[in-house]
Amino acid sequence: MARHRVGLWMYENCGGKEIEQKIVNKLREREIDALTGLNLAQATAFDGNIVCNGQQLNELDLFFSYNAGQQTPYQVYLYQVLNSMMPMINNYQSFALTEDKFRTAHVLKTNGITTTDYVICNKHNLEQVRAHMQFWGGKAICKPVDGWGGNGIIKLESERDLDLLMPFIHHQQAPQFYIERVIENDFSDYRIDIVDNKFVACYGRKAAPGSWKTNVTSGGSVIKREPVPEVVELALKAAKVTGLEVAGVDIIYDVEHQRYVVIEVNGIPAFATPDQEAFGLDFNDTKIDFLVDLIDRTVTKDSKAPAKGFIPSLSEALIKPNLLTEEAAV
Protein backbone atom coordinates (compact mmCIF):
# COMPACT_ATOMS: atom_id res chain seq x y z
CA MET A 1 0.00 0.00 0.00
CA ALA A 2 1.28 3.46 -0.91
CA ARG A 3 2.32 5.70 1.94
CA HIS A 4 0.98 8.87 0.32
CA ARG A 5 -1.57 10.04 -2.24
CA VAL A 6 -1.30 13.13 -4.41
CA GLY A 7 -3.68 14.70 -6.94
CA LEU A 8 -2.68 15.76 -10.46
CA TRP A 9 -4.36 17.98 -13.01
CA MET A 10 -2.22 18.28 -16.14
CA TYR A 11 -2.82 19.42 -19.67
CA GLU A 12 -3.28 16.51 -22.10
CA ASN A 13 -2.39 18.04 -25.47
CA CYS A 14 1.12 18.46 -26.95
CA GLY A 15 2.43 15.32 -25.25
CA GLY A 16 1.06 16.21 -21.81
CA LYS A 17 -0.69 12.85 -21.33
CA GLU A 18 2.55 10.92 -21.83
CA ILE A 19 4.42 13.23 -19.45
CA GLU A 20 1.72 12.76 -16.82
CA GLN A 21 2.06 8.98 -17.09
CA LYS A 22 5.83 9.22 -16.58
CA ILE A 23 5.23 11.27 -13.43
CA VAL A 24 2.66 8.75 -12.17
CA ASN A 25 5.03 5.83 -12.77
CA LYS A 26 7.97 7.48 -11.04
CA LEU A 27 5.82 8.44 -8.06
CA ARG A 28 4.55 4.86 -7.80
CA GLU A 29 8.17 3.67 -7.54
CA ARG A 30 8.40 5.83 -4.42
CA GLU A 31 5.17 4.42 -2.94
CA ILE A 32 3.17 7.52 -3.83
CA ASP A 33 -0.18 7.04 -5.56
CA ALA A 34 -1.21 9.76 -8.02
CA LEU A 35 -4.87 10.44 -8.81
CA THR A 36 -5.16 12.05 -12.24
CA GLY A 37 -7.77 14.07 -14.12
CA LEU A 38 -8.77 16.12 -11.07
CA ASN A 39 -10.25 19.06 -12.93
CA LEU A 40 -11.46 21.50 -10.28
CA ALA A 41 -14.21 22.65 -12.64
CA GLN A 42 -15.93 19.40 -11.67
CA ALA A 43 -15.32 19.78 -7.93
CA THR A 44 -17.88 20.58 -5.24
CA ALA A 45 -17.22 21.79 -1.70
CA PHE A 46 -19.52 21.03 1.25
CA ASP A 47 -19.24 20.44 4.99
CA GLY A 48 -15.50 21.08 5.03
CA ASN A 49 -14.83 18.70 2.14
CA ILE A 50 -13.88 19.21 -1.50
CA VAL A 51 -14.93 16.35 -3.79
CA CYS A 52 -13.92 15.89 -7.44
CA ASN A 53 -14.90 12.90 -9.58
CA GLY A 54 -15.73 10.91 -6.46
CA GLN A 55 -12.39 11.69 -4.79
CA GLN A 56 -12.23 13.57 -1.49
CA LEU A 57 -9.44 16.03 -2.24
CA ASN A 58 -8.88 17.17 1.34
CA GLU A 59 -7.61 13.67 2.14
CA LEU A 60 -4.72 14.04 -0.30
CA ASP A 61 -1.16 14.86 0.79
CA LEU A 62 -0.50 17.29 -2.08
CA PHE A 63 -2.08 18.71 -5.23
CA PHE A 64 -0.13 19.43 -8.42
CA SER A 65 -1.95 21.76 -10.82
CA TYR A 66 -0.35 22.11 -14.27
CA ASN A 67 -3.02 23.02 -16.78
CA ALA A 68 -3.06 26.55 -18.12
CA GLY A 69 -5.45 26.57 -21.04
CA GLN A 70 -8.47 25.30 -19.10
CA GLN A 71 -8.19 27.50 -16.02
CA THR A 72 -11.41 29.34 -15.14
CA PRO A 73 -12.21 31.72 -12.24
CA TYR A 74 -14.08 28.91 -10.47
CA GLN A 75 -11.11 26.56 -10.67
CA VAL A 76 -8.74 29.25 -9.45
CA TYR A 77 -11.17 30.01 -6.61
CA LEU A 78 -11.06 26.37 -5.43
CA TYR A 79 -7.30 26.31 -6.08
CA GLN A 80 -6.94 28.98 -3.39
CA VAL A 81 -9.20 27.15 -0.94
CA LEU A 82 -7.42 23.84 -1.51
CA ASN A 83 -4.08 25.52 -0.84
CA SER A 84 -5.31 26.32 2.67
CA MET A 85 -5.74 22.58 3.28
CA MET A 86 -2.58 21.00 1.84
CA PRO A 87 0.67 21.76 -0.02
CA MET A 88 0.16 22.84 -3.63
CA ILE A 89 2.58 22.96 -6.57
CA ASN A 90 2.65 25.75 -7.48
CA ASN A 91 1.47 27.28 -4.22
CA TYR A 92 -1.50 29.58 -4.75
CA GLN A 93 0.12 32.76 -3.44
CA SER A 94 2.99 32.57 -5.92
CA PHE A 95 0.73 31.43 -8.75
CA ALA A 96 -1.59 34.42 -8.24
CA LEU A 97 1.38 36.79 -7.93
CA THR A 98 2.93 35.75 -11.23
CA GLU A 99 -0.41 35.88 -13.03
CA ASP A 100 -0.29 39.65 -12.49
CA LYS A 101 2.39 41.47 -14.50
CA PHE A 102 2.42 44.57 -12.29
CA ARG A 103 2.64 42.65 -9.02
CA THR A 104 5.42 40.48 -10.44
CA ALA A 105 7.41 43.46 -11.70
CA HIS A 106 6.90 45.23 -8.37
CA VAL A 107 8.23 42.26 -6.37
CA LEU A 108 11.22 41.87 -8.70
CA LYS A 109 12.06 45.60 -8.49
CA THR A 110 11.81 45.72 -4.71
CA ASN A 111 14.15 42.73 -4.49
CA GLY A 112 16.79 44.33 -6.70
CA ILE A 113 16.18 42.12 -9.74
CA THR A 114 16.51 43.81 -13.13
CA THR A 115 13.12 43.87 -14.81
CA THR A 116 11.14 46.12 -17.12
CA ASP A 117 10.50 49.74 -16.15
CA TYR A 118 6.77 50.22 -15.72
CA VAL A 119 4.05 52.55 -14.52
CA ILE A 120 0.53 51.73 -13.39
CA CYS A 121 -2.20 54.20 -12.53
CA ASN A 122 -5.95 54.71 -12.40
CA LYS A 123 -7.26 54.58 -15.97
CA HIS A 124 -8.97 57.96 -15.35
CA ASN A 125 -5.67 59.61 -14.38
CA LEU A 126 -3.32 59.09 -17.32
CA GLU A 127 -1.23 62.26 -16.96
CA GLN A 128 1.28 60.24 -14.95
CA VAL A 129 1.53 57.81 -17.86
CA ARG A 130 2.07 60.66 -20.30
CA ALA A 131 4.93 61.99 -18.19
CA HIS A 132 6.64 58.61 -18.16
CA MET A 133 6.20 58.22 -21.91
CA GLN A 134 7.96 61.54 -22.41
CA PHE A 135 10.82 60.29 -20.25
CA TRP A 136 10.92 57.07 -22.30
CA GLY A 137 11.08 58.94 -25.61
CA GLY A 138 7.36 58.74 -26.32
CA LYS A 139 7.24 54.95 -26.66
CA ALA A 140 5.73 52.27 -24.42
CA ILE A 141 4.11 48.84 -24.38
CA CYS A 142 0.52 48.72 -23.12
CA LYS A 143 -0.41 45.38 -21.51
CA PRO A 144 -3.28 43.88 -19.54
CA VAL A 145 -1.86 42.90 -16.15
CA ASP A 146 -3.32 39.40 -16.46
CA GLY A 147 -2.96 38.76 -20.19
CA TRP A 148 -1.10 35.87 -21.80
CA GLY A 149 0.36 34.73 -25.09
CA GLY A 150 0.82 38.28 -26.38
CA ASN A 151 -2.93 38.92 -26.30
CA GLY A 152 -4.03 42.51 -25.71
CA ILE A 153 -0.51 43.95 -26.02
CA ILE A 154 -0.28 47.24 -27.91
CA LYS A 155 2.89 49.11 -28.83
CA LEU A 156 2.59 52.89 -28.43
CA GLU A 157 4.88 54.76 -30.78
CA SER A 158 4.00 58.28 -29.55
CA GLU A 159 1.88 60.19 -27.04
CA ARG A 160 -0.70 60.61 -29.80
CA ASP A 161 -1.25 56.85 -29.72
CA LEU A 162 -2.19 57.22 -26.05
CA ASP A 163 -4.83 59.82 -26.98
CA LEU A 164 -6.22 57.51 -29.66
CA LEU A 165 -6.50 54.71 -27.10
CA MET A 166 -8.54 56.79 -24.64
CA PRO A 167 -12.01 55.47 -25.68
CA PHE A 168 -10.73 51.88 -25.57
CA ILE A 169 -9.12 52.39 -22.15
CA HIS A 170 -12.20 53.89 -20.56
CA HIS A 171 -14.43 51.05 -21.80
CA GLN A 172 -12.26 48.37 -20.21
CA GLN A 173 -13.53 46.81 -16.98
CA ALA A 174 -10.08 46.86 -15.37
CA PRO A 175 -9.63 49.96 -13.19
CA GLN A 176 -5.90 50.24 -13.90
CA PHE A 177 -3.76 51.16 -16.88
CA TYR A 178 -0.35 49.52 -17.13
CA ILE A 179 2.56 50.24 -19.48
CA GLU A 180 6.19 49.20 -19.77
CA ARG A 181 9.21 50.89 -21.29
CA VAL A 182 10.10 49.68 -24.78
CA ILE A 183 13.33 47.69 -24.51
CA GLU A 184 15.58 47.76 -27.55
CA ASN A 185 16.45 44.14 -28.32
CA ASP A 186 16.99 41.67 -31.17
CA PHE A 187 13.40 40.32 -30.96
CA SER A 188 14.45 37.09 -29.29
CA ASP A 189 14.37 35.96 -25.68
CA TYR A 190 15.65 33.34 -23.26
CA ARG A 191 13.33 30.95 -21.45
CA ILE A 192 14.89 29.42 -18.35
CA ASP A 193 13.00 26.49 -16.84
CA ILE A 194 13.39 26.01 -13.09
CA VAL A 195 12.07 23.37 -10.69
CA ASP A 196 12.64 23.47 -6.93
CA ASN A 197 15.16 26.33 -7.27
CA LYS A 198 17.25 24.23 -9.68
CA PHE A 199 18.11 24.96 -13.29
CA VAL A 200 16.41 22.61 -15.74
CA ALA A 201 16.83 24.01 -19.24
CA CYS A 202 17.56 27.02 -21.42
CA TYR A 203 16.03 27.68 -24.81
CA GLY A 204 14.58 30.71 -26.54
CA ARG A 205 11.92 32.14 -28.82
CA LYS A 206 12.33 34.43 -31.80
CA ALA A 207 9.70 36.77 -33.25
CA ALA A 208 8.40 36.17 -36.75
CA PRO A 209 9.75 38.46 -39.50
CA GLY A 210 8.20 41.90 -39.17
CA SER A 211 6.93 41.22 -35.63
CA TRP A 212 8.32 42.10 -32.21
CA LYS A 213 6.38 39.50 -30.16
CA THR A 214 8.30 36.32 -29.34
CA ASN A 215 5.32 34.35 -28.01
CA VAL A 216 4.68 31.16 -29.98
CA THR A 217 0.95 31.94 -29.93
CA SER A 218 1.79 35.27 -31.63
CA GLY A 219 3.81 33.66 -34.40
CA GLY A 220 7.19 33.32 -32.69
CA SER A 221 9.31 30.20 -33.02
CA VAL A 222 11.39 28.17 -30.56
CA ILE A 223 15.18 28.38 -30.93
CA LYS A 224 18.13 26.70 -29.21
CA ARG A 225 20.12 28.83 -26.78
CA GLU A 226 23.18 28.22 -24.65
CA PRO A 227 22.63 28.69 -20.89
CA VAL A 228 24.55 31.93 -20.27
CA PRO A 229 25.56 31.85 -16.56
CA GLU A 230 24.39 35.45 -15.98
CA VAL A 231 20.98 34.65 -17.49
CA VAL A 232 20.58 31.46 -15.45
CA GLU A 233 21.55 33.24 -12.22
CA LEU A 234 19.06 36.05 -12.92
CA ALA A 235 16.29 33.53 -13.59
CA LEU A 236 17.01 31.58 -10.41
CA LYS A 237 16.78 34.78 -8.37
CA ALA A 238 13.49 35.77 -10.04
CA ALA A 239 11.93 32.37 -9.38
CA LYS A 240 13.06 32.44 -5.76
CA VAL A 241 11.64 35.87 -4.90
CA THR A 242 8.29 35.01 -6.50
CA GLY A 243 8.16 31.77 -4.52
CA LEU A 244 7.29 29.47 -7.44
CA GLU A 245 8.26 25.83 -7.08
CA VAL A 246 8.06 25.46 -10.88
CA ALA A 247 8.87 28.49 -13.04
CA GLY A 248 9.68 29.57 -16.55
CA VAL A 249 11.53 32.89 -16.56
CA ASP A 250 11.61 34.96 -19.76
CA ILE A 251 14.63 37.23 -20.21
CA ILE A 252 15.78 39.56 -23.01
CA TYR A 253 18.94 41.56 -23.57
CA ASP A 254 18.51 45.32 -23.31
CA VAL A 255 20.75 46.68 -26.07
CA GLU A 256 20.50 50.29 -24.90
CA HIS A 257 21.53 49.62 -21.31
CA GLN A 258 23.58 46.49 -22.09
CA ARG A 259 22.03 44.23 -19.50
CA TYR A 260 19.73 41.22 -19.22
CA VAL A 261 16.17 42.00 -18.12
CA VAL A 262 13.46 39.73 -16.73
CA ILE A 263 10.27 40.37 -18.69
CA GLU A 264 8.02 37.67 -17.26
CA VAL A 265 7.85 34.84 -14.72
CA ASN A 266 5.50 32.01 -15.68
CA GLY A 267 3.95 29.56 -13.23
CA ILE A 268 3.04 26.91 -15.82
CA PRO A 269 5.96 26.66 -18.26
CA ALA A 270 5.25 23.81 -20.64
CA PHE A 271 7.29 20.71 -21.16
CA ALA A 272 8.80 20.33 -24.63
CA THR A 273 6.33 19.01 -27.20
CA PRO A 274 7.22 15.89 -29.24
CA ASP A 275 8.13 18.14 -32.20
CA GLN A 276 10.33 20.29 -29.99
CA GLU A 277 12.02 17.21 -28.55
CA ALA A 278 12.81 16.10 -32.11
CA PHE A 279 14.19 19.61 -32.68
CA GLY A 280 16.63 19.10 -29.80
CA LEU A 281 14.89 20.28 -26.61
CA ASP A 282 15.56 17.24 -24.43
CA PHE A 283 14.90 18.54 -20.92
CA ASN A 284 11.60 16.74 -20.17
CA ASP A 285 13.12 13.80 -18.26
CA THR A 286 15.22 16.12 -16.09
CA LYS A 287 12.18 18.26 -15.34
CA ILE A 288 10.12 15.20 -14.44
CA ASP A 289 12.86 13.86 -12.11
CA PHE A 290 13.18 17.22 -10.31
CA LEU A 291 9.42 17.46 -9.98
CA VAL A 292 9.05 13.93 -8.59
CA ASP A 293 11.87 14.64 -6.11
CA LEU A 294 10.05 17.79 -4.99
CA ILE A 295 6.71 16.01 -4.55
CA ASP A 296 8.35 13.15 -2.66
CA ARG A 297 10.19 15.48 -0.30
CA THR A 298 7.13 17.64 0.27
CA VAL A 299 4.70 14.84 1.15
CA THR A 300 7.28 13.05 3.28
CA LYS A 301 8.04 16.16 5.30
CA ASP A 302 4.73 18.01 5.24
CA SER A 303 2.05 15.37 4.75
CA LYS A 304 -1.29 16.70 5.99
CA ALA A 305 0.31 19.94 7.19
CA PRO A 306 -2.10 22.69 6.10
CA ALA A 307 -0.63 25.56 4.15
CA LYS A 308 -0.79 28.92 5.83
CA GLY A 309 -3.42 31.06 4.25
CA PHE A 310 -7.08 31.88 4.37
CA ILE A 311 -10.29 30.80 2.70
CA PRO A 312 -11.54 33.67 0.50
CA SER A 313 -15.07 34.92 0.37
CA LEU A 314 -17.02 34.40 -2.82
CA SER A 315 -17.42 38.15 -3.24
CA GLU A 316 -13.65 38.59 -3.06
CA ALA A 317 -13.10 35.97 -5.74
CA LEU A 318 -15.61 37.57 -8.06
CA ILE A 319 -13.95 41.01 -7.97
CA LYS A 320 -10.47 39.67 -8.66
CA PRO A 321 -9.21 39.66 -12.25
CA ASN A 322 -9.70 36.52 -14.28
CA LEU A 323 -6.55 34.49 -13.76
CA LEU A 324 -5.72 32.90 -17.08
CA THR A 325 -2.35 31.65 -18.18
CA GLU A 326 -0.80 30.62 -21.42
CA GLU A 327 -1.89 27.31 -22.88
CA ALA A 328 0.76 24.67 -22.54
CA ALA A 329 3.19 25.63 -25.27
CA VAL A 330 6.71 27.03 -25.04
Side-chain angles (χ1 to χ4, degrees), residues 20 71 73 119 169 238 276:
E20 179 185 73
Q71 290 279 14
V119 61
I169 294 169
Q276 290 162 354

Side-chain angles (χ1 to χ4, degrees), residues 31-310:
E31 298 184 358
I32 300 172
D33 278 343
L35 307 180
T36 62
L38 298 180
N39 184 345
L40 294 181
Q42 300 160 355
T44 305
F46 57 91
D47 296 335
N49 302 304
I50 299 179
V51 178
C52 181
N53 299 335
Q55 301 292 336
Q56 195 159 319
L57 301 188
N58 41 292
E59 292 184 348
L60 298 174
D61 297 305
L62 177 145
F63 196 94
F64 174 51
S65 178
Y66 215 72
N67 190 323
Q70 295 179 295
Q71 290 279 14
T72 67
Y74 177 74
Q75 289 158 304
V76 173
Y77 179 55
L78 287 190
Y79 187 166
Q80 184 176 8
V81 177
L82 202 58
N83 196 180
S84 70
M85 308 171 78
M86 69 185 64
M88 296 279 289
I89 299 175
N90 278 306
N91 70 85
Y92 175 81
Q93 290 81 1
S94 296
F95 165 76
L97 167 68
T98 52
E99 286 294 283
D100 188 304
K101 291 179 174 59
F102 159 63
R103 291 180 59 204
T104 302
H106 181 73
V107 166
L108 294 176
K109 285 277 189 182
T110 55
N111 281 275
I113 295 175
T114 306
T115 188
T116 48
D117 296 328
Y118 65 87
V119 61
I120 189 169
C121 70
N122 188 309
K123 68 179 182 181
H124 298 293
N125 182 21
L126 297 183
E127 290 308 310
Q128 296 160 326
V129 170
R130 197 180 304 278
H132 275 79
M133 284 189 65
Q134 291 174 353
F135 182 68
W136 294 340
K139 296 183 179 181
I141 303 291
C142 170
K143 294 182 177 181
V145 294
D146 58 349
W148 62 275
N151 295 320
I153 298 179
I154 302 171
K155 193 171 186 178
L156 307 178
E157 298 287 354
S158 68
E159 291 181 54
R160 184 172 180 275
D161 287 345
L162 182 61
D163 294 328
L164 294 174
L165 271 181
M166 286 292 188
F168 170 78
I169 294 169
H170 291 312
H171 278 88
Q172 297 301 299
Q173 291 186 343
Q176 75 279 344
F177 183 71
Y178 175 79
I179 64 170
E180 294 176 349
R181 176 178 69 88
V182 173
I183 298 176
E184 185 181 349
N185 67 96
D186 66 354
F187 306 117
S188 71
D189 65 14
Y190 290 82
R191 162 63 67 85
I192 306 297
D193 260 30
I194 294 166
V195 175
D196 197 17
N197 291 316
K198 292 182 287 189
F199 168 74
V200 173
C202 172
Y203 51 98
R205 297 168 302 179
K206 187 173 183 63
S211 175
W212 52 274
K213 295 180 181 179
T214 61
N215 310 78
V216 171
T217 49
S218 297
S221 57
V222 174
I223 59 175
K224 295 180 181 179
R225 303 214 83 148
E226 291 298 319
V228 179
E230 184 180 350
V231 172
V232 173
E233 182 180 359
L234 183 61
L236 286 167
K237 289 179 179 178
K240 187 171 184 178
V241 301
T242 57
L244 290 172
E245 292 87 4
V246 182
V249 183
D250 296 337
I251 295 173
I252 62 176
Y253 185 71
D254 184 338
V255 174
E256 179 184 358
H257 297 91
Q258 298 187 17
R259 61 183 182 178
Y260 291 104
V261 178
V262 175
I263 58 171
E264 195 163 343
V265 183
N266 303 277
I268 310 181
F271 289 81
T273 67
D275 286 346
Q276 290 162 354
E277 286 188 289
F279 172 69
L281 300 187
D282 58 354
F283 61 86
N284 281 353
D285 287 343
T286 299
K287 189 170 181 176
I288 289 170
D289 287 341
F290 285 0
L291 182 58
V292 169
D293 285 344
L294 173 61
I295 292 173
D296 188 2
R297 190 181 73 251
T298 303
V299 298
T300 300
K301 179 180 179 181
D302 298 322
S303 179
K304 297 299 182 182
K308 293 183 180 180
F310 64 93

